[in-house]
Amino acid sequence: MFFLLFTSNFVALSHIIIDIILSMEQSQQLVQTITKGIQDKKGQDIIIADLRNIEGAIANYFVICQGSSPAQVEAISESIGNTVRTDLKEKPVNVAGLGLNHWVAIDYSDVLVHVFLPEERAFYDLETLWEDAKLMKIPNID
């Protein structure tokens, strides 16, 4: 009886672990695809903040970047949505800030994307706000 109980608990735990690993891989693939969408429209100063080890974080990752004008912020945001939809067949849960295009936030649940104008990015300074996160800077494409 003990062996059966142990075996069923082990199998259930194994499935949970596999689900967690798959979710982590999907989040990382989503981050890579978002980065591709940003770079397609020449988004600058991309930072990926890994929030997975921060208790109470609202997402696993933040992807932060900037465009030089409201038109470029809009183009970057649309490129992210199109690239993720085409490559991964995913749509965001929510998008806020389109229209004004000073700060567009795109919510993919596990990954939150922030596309800023430089002034707004400097003002809100998300990189410092989440200073406990592991930050990875992606080189600009010239």
Side-chain angles (χ1 to χ4, degrees):
M1 178 70 172
F2 172 75
F3 179 73
L4 289 176
L5 182 61
F6 175 78
T7 303
S8 66
N9 285 342
F10 179 76
V11 169
L13 183 59
S14 296
H15 287 292
I16 291 170
I17 292 170
I18 289 169
D19 287 345
I20 290 170
I21 291 170
L22 288 175
S23 176
M24 287 173 32
E25 288 174 1
Q26 289 170 341
S27 291
Q28 291 170 346
Q29 186 177 22
L30 179 57
V31 167
Q32 290 172 350
T33 305
I34 289 165
T35 302
K36 176 182 165 188
I38 294 168
Q39 291 175 327
D40 283 350
K41 296 298 177 183
K42 307 288 189 235
Q44 296 290 302
D45 300 327
I46 303 169
I47 298 287
I48 298 169
D50 184 344
L51 308 172
R52 291 177 296 173
N53 293 323
I54 298 177
E55 190 174 328
I58 58 175
N60 289 333
Y61 295 94
F62 274 8
V63 180
I64 305 164
C65 70
Q66 65 189 43
S68 60
S69 69
Q72 188 184 19
V73 168
E74 181 177 16
I76 292 166
S77 301
E78 289 176 355
S79 178
I80 292 166
N82 292 336
T83 304
V84 171
R85 191 170 27 264
T86 300
D87 292 3
L88 302 179
K89 311 294 187 249
E90 285 192 45
K91 294 180 181 178
V93 175
N94 195 19
V95 178
L98 278 176
L100 295 176
N101 301 321
H102 291 246
W103 174 11
V104 176
I106 308 170
D107 183 355
Y108 285 99
S109 289
D110 287 345
V111 181
L112 293 178
V113 186
H114 301 274
V115 185
F116 287 100
L117 285 176
E119 302 79 28
E120 277 76 7
R121 183 175 186 172
F123 180 79
Y124 290 104
D125 197 14
L126 294 182
E127 293 94 327
T128 302
L129 181 64
W130 292 95
E131 65 185 20
D132 292 341
K134 180 180 170 189
L135 302 178
M136 181 172 61
K137 184 173 183 167
I138 306 296
N140 290 332
I141 296 177
D142 295 322

